[in-house]
PDB file of all heavy atoms in Angstrom:
ATOM      1  N   ILE A   7     108.915 113.453  93.341  1.00  0.00           N
ATOM      2  CA  ILE A   7     107.478 113.237  93.493  1.00  0.00           C
ATOM      3  C   ILE A   7     106.957 114.140  94.596  1.00  0.00           C
ATOM      4  O   ILE A   7     107.646 114.393  95.579  1.00  0.00           O
ATOM      5  CB  ILE A   7     107.166 111.751  93.816  1.00  0.00           C
ATOM      6  CG1 ILE A   7     105.640 111.536  93.901  1.00  0.00           C
ATOM      7  CG2 ILE A   7     107.854 111.300  95.085  1.00  0.00           C
ATOM      8  CD1 ILE A   7     105.231 110.088  94.038  1.00  0.00           C
ATOM      9  N   ARG A   8     105.749 114.645  94.404  1.00  0.00           N
ATOM     10  CA  ARG A   8     105.105 115.462  95.427  1.00  0.00           C
ATOM     11  C   ARG A   8     103.611 115.171  95.412  1.00  0.00           C
ATOM     12  O   ARG A   8     103.098 114.567  94.458  1.00  0.00           O
ATOM     13  CB  ARG A   8     105.367 116.939  95.198  1.00  0.00           C
ATOM     14  CG  ARG A   8     104.647 117.546  94.011  1.00  0.00           C
ATOM     15  CD  ARG A   8     104.999 119.023  93.841  1.00  0.00           C
ATOM     16  NE  ARG A   8     104.125 119.699  92.892  1.00  0.00           N
ATOM     17  CZ  ARG A   8     104.297 119.723  91.597  1.00  0.00           C
ATOM     18  NH1 ARG A   8     105.340 119.085  91.054  1.00  0.00           N
ATOM     19  NH2 ARG A   8     103.446 120.366  90.801  1.00  0.00           N
ATOM     20  N   CYS A   9     102.921 115.633  96.441  1.00  0.00           N
ATOM     21  CA  CYS A   9     101.475 115.410  96.535  1.00  0.00           C
ATOM     22  C   CYS A   9     100.782 116.743  96.778  1.00  0.00           C
ATOM     23  O   CYS A   9     101.234 117.549  97.603  1.00  0.00           O
ATOM     24  CB  CYS A   9     101.171 114.436  97.663  1.00  0.00           C
ATOM     25  SG  CYS A   9      99.400 114.077  97.844  1.00  0.00           S
ATOM     26  N   GLU A  10      99.697 116.969  96.049  1.00  0.00           N
ATOM     27  CA  GLU A  10      98.847 118.145  96.230  1.00  0.00           C
ATOM     28  C   GLU A  10      97.416 117.674  96.460  1.00  0.00           C
ATOM     29  O   GLU A  10      96.982 116.698  95.850  1.00  0.00           O
ATOM     30  CB  GLU A  10      98.913 119.071  95.011  1.00  0.00           C
ATOM     31  CG  GLU A  10     100.297 119.644  94.744  1.00  0.00           C
ATOM     32  CD  GLU A  10     100.333 120.491  93.475  1.00  0.00           C
ATOM     33  OE1 GLU A  10      99.292 120.543  92.783  1.00  0.00           O
ATOM     34  OE2 GLU A  10     101.390 121.081  93.178  1.00  0.00           O
ATOM     35  N   SER A  11      96.693 118.376  97.327  1.00  0.00           N
ATOM     36  CA  SER A  11      95.326 117.940  97.618  1.00  0.00           C
ATOM     37  C   SER A  11      94.458 119.144  97.959  1.00  0.00           C
ATOM     38  O   SER A  11      94.863 120.024  98.731  1.00  0.00           O
ATOM     39  CB  SER A  11      95.326 116.951  98.795  1.00  0.00           C
ATOM     40  OG  SER A  11      94.038 116.417  99.001  1.00  0.00           O
ATOM     41  N   ASP A  12      93.278 119.192  97.343  1.00  0.00           N
ATOM     42  CA  ASP A  12      92.282 120.212  97.693  1.00  0.00           C
ATOM     43  C   ASP A  12      90.915 119.543  97.752  1.00  0.00           C
ATOM     44  O   ASP A  12      90.815 118.304  97.754  1.00  0.00           O
ATOM     45  CB  ASP A  12      92.307 121.376  96.697  1.00  0.00           C
ATOM     46  CG  ASP A  12      92.123 120.924  95.247  1.00  0.00           C
ATOM     47  OD1 ASP A  12      91.420 119.908  95.034  1.00  0.00           O
ATOM     48  OD2 ASP A  12      92.666 121.577  94.329  1.00  0.00           O
ATOM     49  N   ASP A  13      89.876 120.340  97.785  1.00  0.00           N
ATOM     50  CA  ASP A  13      88.527 119.777  97.930  1.00  0.00           C
ATOM     51  C   ASP A  13      88.064 119.028  96.690  1.00  0.00           C
ATOM     52  O   ASP A  13      87.101 118.255  96.747  1.00  0.00           O
ATOM     53  CB  ASP A  13      87.527 120.899  98.253  1.00  0.00           C
ATOM     54  CG  ASP A  13      87.780 121.511  99.620  1.00  0.00           C
ATOM     55  OD1 ASP A  13      88.311 120.788 100.486  1.00  0.00           O
ATOM     56  OD2 ASP A  13      87.470 122.700  99.809  1.00  0.00           O
ATOM     57  N   ASN A  14      88.734 119.248  95.559  1.00  0.00           N
ATOM     58  CA  ASN A  14      88.310 118.613  94.312  1.00  0.00           C
ATOM     59  C   ASN A  14      89.166 117.403  93.940  1.00  0.00           C
ATOM     60  O   ASN A  14      88.625 116.351  93.589  1.00  0.00           O
ATOM     61  CB  ASN A  14      88.347 119.641  93.170  1.00  0.00           C
ATOM     62  CG  ASN A  14      87.387 120.789  93.398  1.00  0.00           C
ATOM     63  OD1 ASN A  14      86.248 120.590  93.819  1.00  0.00           O
ATOM     64  ND2 ASN A  14      87.847 122.007  93.133  1.00  0.00           N
ATOM     65  N   TRP A  15      90.501 117.558  94.022  1.00  0.00           N
ATOM     66  CA  TRP A  15      91.383 116.495  93.566  1.00  0.00           C
ATOM     67  C   TRP A  15      92.561 116.304  94.525  1.00  0.00           C
ATOM     68  O   TRP A  15      93.052 117.261  95.119  1.00  0.00           O
ATOM     69  CB  TRP A  15      91.937 116.803  92.164  1.00  0.00           C
ATOM     70  CG  TRP A  15      90.886 116.780  91.094  1.00  0.00           C
ATOM     71  CD1 TRP A  15      90.183 117.838  90.611  1.00  0.00           C
ATOM     72  CD2 TRP A  15      90.414 115.622  90.393  1.00  0.00           C
ATOM     73  NE1 TRP A  15      89.295 117.425  89.654  1.00  0.00           N
ATOM     74  CE2 TRP A  15      89.417 116.068  89.489  1.00  0.00           C
ATOM     75  CE3 TRP A  15      90.728 114.264  90.431  1.00  0.00           C
ATOM     76  CZ2 TRP A  15      88.738 115.205  88.641  1.00  0.00           C
ATOM     77  CZ3 TRP A  15      90.062 113.404  89.579  1.00  0.00           C
ATOM     78  CH2 TRP A  15      89.072 113.876  88.697  1.00  0.00           C
ATOM     79  N   THR A  16      92.979 115.055  94.632  1.00  0.00           N
ATOM     80  CA  THR A  16      94.241 114.714  95.280  1.00  0.00           C
ATOM     81  C   THR A  16      95.163 114.188  94.196  1.00  0.00           C
ATOM     82  O   THR A  16      94.826 113.216  93.507  1.00  0.00           O
ATOM     83  CB  THR A  16      94.055 113.650  96.375  1.00  0.00           C
ATOM     84  OG1 THR A  16      93.278 114.209  97.451  1.00  0.00           O
ATOM     85  CG2 THR A  16      95.405 113.194  96.916  1.00  0.00           C
ATOM     86  N   SER A  17      96.303 114.850  94.019  1.00  0.00           N
ATOM     87  CA  SER A  17      97.189 114.527  92.891  1.00  0.00           C
ATOM     88  C   SER A  17      98.576 114.157  93.389  1.00  0.00           C
ATOM     89  O   SER A  17      99.186 114.890  94.180  1.00  0.00           O
ATOM     90  CB  SER A  17      97.300 115.738  91.947  1.00  0.00           C
ATOM     91  OG  SER A  17      96.026 116.146  91.504  1.00  0.00           O
ATOM     92  N   PHE A  18      99.058 113.020  92.916  1.00  0.00           N
ATOM     93  CA  PHE A  18     100.457 112.642  93.091  1.00  0.00           C
ATOM     94  C   PHE A  18     101.158 112.959  91.773  1.00  0.00           C
ATOM     95  O   PHE A  18     100.807 112.397  90.725  1.00  0.00           O
ATOM     96  CB  PHE A  18     100.587 111.166  93.440  1.00  0.00           C
ATOM     97  CG  PHE A  18     100.189 110.856  94.855  1.00  0.00           C
ATOM     98  CD1 PHE A  18      98.868 110.549  95.158  1.00  0.00           C
ATOM     99  CD2 PHE A  18     101.122 110.891  95.873  1.00  0.00           C
ATOM    100  CE1 PHE A  18      98.492 110.274  96.457  1.00  0.00           C
ATOM    101  CE2 PHE A  18     100.754 110.611  97.179  1.00  0.00           C
ATOM    102  CZ  PHE A  18      99.435 110.305  97.481  1.00  0.00           C
ATOM    103  N   ILE A  19     102.122 113.875  91.836  1.00  0.00           N
ATOM    104  CA  ILE A  19     102.757 114.408  90.631  1.00  0.00           C
ATOM    105  C   ILE A  19     104.215 113.963  90.596  1.00  0.00           C
ATOM    106  O   ILE A  19     104.985 114.235  91.524  1.00  0.00           O
ATOM    107  CB  ILE A  19     102.671 115.947  90.607  1.00  0.00           C
ATOM    108  CG1 ILE A  19     101.200 116.368  90.741  1.00  0.00           C
ATOM    109  CG2 ILE A  19     103.297 116.503  89.338  1.00  0.00           C
ATOM    110  CD1 ILE A  19     101.017 117.827  91.057  1.00  0.00           C
ATOM    111  N   ILE A  20     104.575 113.275  89.527  1.00  0.00           N
ATOM    112  CA  ILE A  20     105.930 112.739  89.374  1.00  0.00           C
ATOM    113  C   ILE A  20     106.609 113.429  88.202  1.00  0.00           C
ATOM    114  O   ILE A  20     106.031 113.531  87.112  1.00  0.00           O
ATOM    115  CB  ILE A  20     105.889 111.217  89.129  1.00  0.00           C
ATOM    116  CG1 ILE A  20     105.169 110.507  90.281  1.00  0.00           C
ATOM    117  CG2 ILE A  20     107.295 110.660  88.936  1.00  0.00           C
ATOM    118  CD1 ILE A  20     104.859 109.053  89.997  1.00  0.00           C
ATOM    119  N   ARG A  21     107.821 113.897  88.420  1.00  0.00           N
ATOM    120  CA  ARG A  21     108.650 114.432  87.338  1.00  0.00           C
ATOM    121  C   ARG A  21     109.802 113.458  87.099  1.00  0.00           C
ATOM    122  O   ARG A  21     110.572 113.173  88.006  1.00  0.00           O
ATOM    123  CB  ARG A  21     109.220 115.806  87.716  1.00  0.00           C
ATOM    124  CG  ARG A  21     108.237 116.962  87.598  1.00  0.00           C
ATOM    125  CD  ARG A  21     108.005 117.343  86.151  1.00  0.00           C
ATOM    126  NE  ARG A  21     107.215 118.565  86.023  1.00  0.00           N
ATOM    127  CZ  ARG A  21     107.708 119.746  85.684  1.00  0.00           C
ATOM    128  NH1 ARG A  21     108.995 119.874  85.422  1.00  0.00           N
ATOM    129  NH2 ARG A  21     106.932 120.793  85.564  1.00  0.00           N
ATOM    130  N   LEU A  22     109.901 112.966  85.870  1.00  0.00           N
ATOM    131  CA  LEU A  22     110.964 112.029  85.516  1.00  0.00           C
ATOM    132  C   LEU A  22     111.733 112.551  84.305  1.00  0.00           C
ATOM    133  O   LEU A  22     111.147 113.178  83.419  1.00  0.00           O
ATOM    134  CB  LEU A  22     110.381 110.653  85.171  1.00  0.00           C
ATOM    135  CG  LEU A  22     109.741 109.834  86.284  1.00  0.00           C
ATOM    136  CD1 LEU A  22     109.219 108.519  85.715  1.00  0.00           C
ATOM    137  CD2 LEU A  22     110.709 109.572  87.412  1.00  0.00           C
ATOM    138  N   PRO A  23     113.025 112.288  84.261  1.00  0.00           N
ATOM    139  CA  PRO A  23     113.774 112.606  83.031  1.00  0.00           C
ATOM    140  C   PRO A  23     113.433 111.597  81.946  1.00  0.00           C
ATOM    141  O   PRO A  23     113.132 110.425  82.239  1.00  0.00           O
ATOM    142  CB  PRO A  23     115.231 112.486  83.477  1.00  0.00           C
ATOM    143  CG  PRO A  23     115.203 111.530  84.621  1.00  0.00           C
ATOM    144  CD  PRO A  23     113.903 111.741  85.311  1.00  0.00           C
ATOM    145  N   LEU A  24     113.480 112.016  80.709  1.00  0.00           N
ATOM    146  CA  LEU A  24     113.229 111.101  79.611  1.00  0.00           C
ATOM    147  C   LEU A  24     114.287 109.994  79.586  1.00  0.00           C
ATOM    148  O   LEU A  24     114.000 108.853  79.221  1.00  0.00           O
ATOM    149  CB  LEU A  24     113.226 111.846  78.273  1.00  0.00           C
ATOM    150  CG  LEU A  24     112.056 112.818  78.051  1.00  0.00           C
ATOM    151  CD1 LEU A  24     112.207 113.525  76.718  1.00  0.00           C
ATOM    152  CD2 LEU A  24     110.734 112.068  78.107  1.00  0.00           C
ATOM    153  N   ASP A  25     115.492 110.336  80.027  1.00  0.00           N
ATOM    154  CA  ASP A  25     116.567 109.360  80.120  1.00  0.00           C
ATOM    155  C   ASP A  25     117.325 109.596  81.422  1.00  0.00           C
ATOM    156  O   ASP A  25     118.084 110.567  81.513  1.00  0.00           O
ATOM    157  CB  ASP A  25     117.512 109.471  78.929  1.00  0.00           C
ATOM    158  CG  ASP A  25     118.518 108.329  78.880  1.00  0.00           C
ATOM    159  OD1 ASP A  25     118.628 107.578  79.866  1.00  0.00           O
ATOM    160  OD2 ASP A  25     119.196 108.180  77.843  1.00  0.00           O
ATOM    161  N   PRO A  26     117.138 108.726  82.435  1.00  0.00           N
ATOM    162  CA  PRO A  26     117.803 108.936  83.735  1.00  0.00           C
ATOM    163  C   PRO A  26     119.326 108.957  83.651  1.00  0.00           C
ATOM    164  O   PRO A  26     119.990 109.515  84.509  1.00  0.00           O
ATOM    165  CB  PRO A  26     117.320 107.730  84.569  1.00  0.00           C
ATOM    166  CG  PRO A  26     116.055 107.308  83.919  1.00  0.00           C
ATOM    167  CD  PRO A  26     116.231 107.588  82.460  1.00  0.00           C
ATOM    168  N   LYS A  27     119.885 108.343  82.604  1.00  0.00           N
ATOM    169  CA  LYS A  27     121.344 108.312  82.468  1.00  0.00           C
ATOM    170  C   LYS A  27     121.916 109.695  82.110  1.00  0.00           C
ATOM    171  O   LYS A  27     123.077 109.967  82.359  1.00  0.00           O
ATOM    172  CB  LYS A  27     121.757 107.303  81.394  1.00  0.00           C
ATOM    173  CG  LYS A  27     121.476 105.863  81.771  1.00  0.00           C
ATOM    174  CD  LYS A  27     121.930 104.918  80.657  1.00  0.00           C
ATOM    175  CE  LYS A  27     121.681 103.458  81.027  1.00  0.00           C
ATOM    176  NZ  LYS A  27     122.100 102.564  79.936  1.00  0.00           N
ATOM    177  N   LYS A  28     121.054 110.562  81.532  1.00  0.00           N
ATOM    178  CA  LYS A  28     121.548 111.847  81.046  1.00  0.00           C
ATOM    179  C   LYS A  28     121.107 113.012  81.940  1.00  0.00           C
ATOM    180  O   LYS A  28     121.731 114.061  81.924  1.00  0.00           O
ATOM    181  CB  LYS A  28     121.023 112.101  79.631  1.00  0.00           C
ATOM    182  CG  LYS A  28     121.528 111.072  78.609  1.00  0.00           C
ATOM    183  CD  LYS A  28     120.971 111.401  77.234  1.00  0.00           C
ATOM    184  CE  LYS A  28     121.451 110.386  76.200  1.00  0.00           C
ATOM    185  NZ  LYS A  28     120.881 110.668  74.852  1.00  0.00           N
ATOM    186  N   THR A  29     120.027 112.843  82.677  1.00  0.00           N
ATOM    187  CA  THR A  29     119.456 113.960  83.440  1.00  0.00           C
ATOM    188  C   THR A  29     119.130 113.526  84.861  1.00  0.00           C
ATOM    189  O   THR A  29     118.672 112.416  85.085  1.00  0.00           O
ATOM    190  CB  THR A  29     118.168 114.469  82.762  1.00  0.00           C
ATOM    191  OG1 THR A  29     118.412 114.674  81.381  1.00  0.00           O
ATOM    192  CG2 THR A  29     117.727 115.779  83.413  1.00  0.00           C
ATOM    193  N   ARG A  30     119.364 114.417  85.807  1.00  0.00           N
ATOM    194  CA  ARG A  30     118.966 114.209  87.205  1.00  0.00           C
ATOM    195  C   ARG A  30     118.163 115.420  87.642  1.00  0.00           C
ATOM    196  O   ARG A  30     118.649 116.549  87.629  1.00  0.00           O
ATOM    197  CB  ARG A  30     120.186 114.057  88.112  1.00  0.00           C
ATOM    198  CG  ARG A  30     119.823 113.853  89.592  1.00  0.00           C
ATOM    199  CD  ARG A  30     121.069 113.793  90.438  1.00  0.00           C
ATOM    200  NE  ARG A  30     121.818 112.599  90.195  1.00  0.00           N
ATOM    201  CZ  ARG A  30     121.649 111.441  90.829  1.00  0.00           C
ATOM    202  NH1 ARG A  30     120.698 111.342  91.748  1.00  0.00           N
ATOM    203  NH2 ARG A  30     122.381 110.403  90.566  1.00  0.00           N
ATOM    204  N   LEU A  31     116.904 115.193  88.047  1.00  0.00           N
ATOM    205  CA  LEU A  31     116.026 116.282  88.484  1.00  0.00           C
ATOM    206  C   LEU A  31     116.211 116.510  89.961  1.00  0.00           C
ATOM    207  O   LEU A  31     116.480 115.586  90.736  1.00  0.00           O
ATOM    208  CB  LEU A  31     114.565 115.956  88.188  1.00  0.00           C
ATOM    209  CG  LEU A  31     114.230 115.603  86.734  1.00  0.00           C
ATOM    210  CD1 LEU A  31     112.731 115.419  86.590  1.00  0.00           C
ATOM    211  CD2 LEU A  31     114.710 116.678  85.791  1.00  0.00           C
ATOM    212  N   THR A  32     116.040 117.769  90.378  1.00  0.00           N
ATOM    213  CA  THR A  32     116.143 118.121  91.800  1.00  0.00           C
ATOM    214  C   THR A  32     114.967 118.978  92.205  1.00  0.00           C
ATOM    215  O   THR A  32     114.320 119.577  91.377  1.00  0.00           O
ATOM    216  CB  THR A  32     117.454 118.890  92.070  1.00  0.00           C
ATOM    217  OG1 THR A  32     117.479 120.057  91.237  1.00  0.00           O
ATOM    218  CG2 THR A  32     118.644 118.031  91.792  1.00  0.00           C
TER     219      THR A  32
END
């Protein structure tokens, strides 16, 4: 998860695997 923010939008962006048992994101 990360956060981005500018004058227009503040966004919390999450990247998840479709199946946590098979994939680990870094």
Side-chain angles (χ1 to χ4, degrees):
I7 183 173
R8 71 181 192 275
C9 181
E10 298 177 356
S11 186
D12 55 31
D13 293 332
N14 297 317
W15 293 94
T16 293
S17 304
F18 286 89
I19 305 166
I20 302 169
R21 282 285 188 105
L22 292 179
L24 292 178
D25 189 349
K27 292 181 179 179
K28 297 180 180 178
T29 311
R30 179 183 291 271
L31 305 185
T32 57

